[in-house]
Amino acid sequence: MTNPLFYAKIILFGEYGMIEDSQGLVVPYSFYKGTMKFSDLSSEFELKSNRHLQKYSDFLAALDLSDDFKLDIESFKSDIASGLFFDSNIPQGYGVGSSGALVAAIFERYAIRKLDPEQISKDNLKKLKAVFGEMESYFHGKSSGMDPLICYMNLPILIENKENLDRVSIPEGEEGKGAIFLIDSGITGETGPMIQIFFEKMKTEGFRKTLKEEFIRYNNACIESFLKKDMNPFFRNLKKLSHWAYEHFRPMIPESIFNIWKKGLDSNAYYLKLCGSGGGGYILGFTKDYAKAEKMLEGFQKEVIYRF
């Protein structure tokens, strides 16, 4: 039996805003991946993963999933007893979907009714996202189901609003001067506390107003121009988005990143934004001239994910 690979995901646009009905654009990232394997559990990593799956299987057994999406928990538990573990190099707490890949791998292997990601209707996509949200709530307390959906589909997904999402084609990358890249903040982030901060902020009318009137407007405009590969309005709105986050998402920006975030805004050499919930992990960077940005960001570990 071949073991399918489940890739990490990157939220290019829509972090936090998707909670309040903004659009979102999420893409798979094949640099990091995970797959289900069996072993004698002789390494600490394998043993730890196996024990983690044992606990998780109890949680899944108690979930009341609809008939179309039921899991074969018996087989799952039997495989765990036979040495099943999740072999993954996806870093945890980095905003690239480590729990999402695990949920997708379990669903793919143990769903009683097999689905073909290529054939899933838009309506079923929505239902599947809700099921994945229930499955992933074990890790974050509350989950939109978006991460596992991206990992499972292995396709870029455009979230149109809370109700609608669909597959989308992103412009093909090409070897140009521009780049989208990841910066390692050097610390891991925890999603739960960051989401808590966001909901606290949402209690104030001023923040709710600026989120709806500014953040969501800039965010959606960035998605629209990126998908059209219309780079001038893209960078114009990206700067506004980055500046907005610098002003309003300060608790989510790791201290190590704070100065370089401002440096990008002041110089226009690059712009930064959160990758997922923030608080640590990766930060996303966008630039028209990667060689210049790279020089300015010396000392930080970077990974290019898209060239244009």
Side-chain angles (χ1 to χ4, degrees), residues 23-82:
Q23 289 185 353
L25 182 61
V26 193
V27 296
Y29 182 42
S30 60
F31 186 77
Y32 293 119
K33 49 189 135 345
T35 189
M36 289 294 190
K37 284 185 182 173
F38 287 93
S39 83
D40 58 5
L41 307 180
S42 52
S43 85
E44 196 185 334
F45 172 83
E46 291 166 5
L47 186 61
K48 203 171 160 188
S49 172
N50 178 267
R51 284 179 178 160
H52 190 91
L53 289 179
Q54 278 176 35
K55 286 182 188 162
Y56 187 40
S57 69
D58 292 336
F59 169 84
L60 292 177
L63 273 188
D64 186 21
L65 299 175
S66 67
D67 287 349
D68 284 352
F69 301 102
K70 282 224 184 307
L71 302 171
D72 184 351
I73 300 294
E74 296 280 302
S75 295
F76 185 31
K77 284 181 175 286
S78 162
D79 284 350
I80 292 167
S82 303

Side-chain angles (χ1 to χ4, degrees), residues 231-247:
M231 286 320 204
N232 286 333
F234 175 69
F235 274 97
R236 204 163 52 238
N237 282 293
L238 187 59
K239 180 174 186 177
K240 291 174 186 170
L241 191 63
S242 180
H243 186 267
W244 189 95
Y246 182 76
E247 294 293 323

Side-chain angles (χ1 to χ4, degrees), residues 92-95 140 185-194 254 277-282:
Q92 293 185 342
Y94 265 69
H140 302 313
S185 69
I187 57 166
T188 57
E190 281 188 62
T191 301
M194 294 298 112
S277 58
Y282 286 119

